[in-house]
């Protein structure tokens, strides 16, 4: 009986850790996308019509 309870606890722990890892990865992707979009907007806003960087 103790073995079954230990195995069930390990399964629950594995799913909990997998869910937490998924959540961290989802946040990392969202933050990365926002940073990338910010860099693209900044890059486009610092260029003139000829494609050269304004100085």
């Amino acid at each position: 009986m103790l073995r079954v309870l230990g195995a069930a606890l390990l399964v629950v722990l594995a799913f909990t850790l997998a869910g937490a890892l998924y959540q961290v990865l989802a946040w990392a992707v969202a933050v990365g996308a926002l940073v990338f979009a910010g860099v693209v907007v900044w890059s486009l806003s610092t260029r003139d019509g000829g494609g050269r960087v304004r100085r």
Side-chain angles (χ1 to χ4, degrees), residues 4-48:
V4 173
L5 193 58
L9 187 62
L10 281 177
V11 169
V12 169
L13 185 65
F15 274 106
T16 302
L17 288 176
L21 182 63
Y22 173 76
Q23 209 168 15
V24 167
L25 287 175
W27 273 107
V29 168
V31 169
L34 285 174
V35 169
F36 180 75
V39 168
V40 168
V41 169
W42 175 81
S43 176
L44 290 174
S45 68
T46 55
R47 291 179 179 268
D48 58 9

Side-chain angles (χ1 to χ4, degrees), residues 46-48 51-55:
T46 55
R47 291 179 179 268
D48 58 9
R52 288 185 295 269
V53 176
R54 270 188 290 170
R55 299 219 183 237

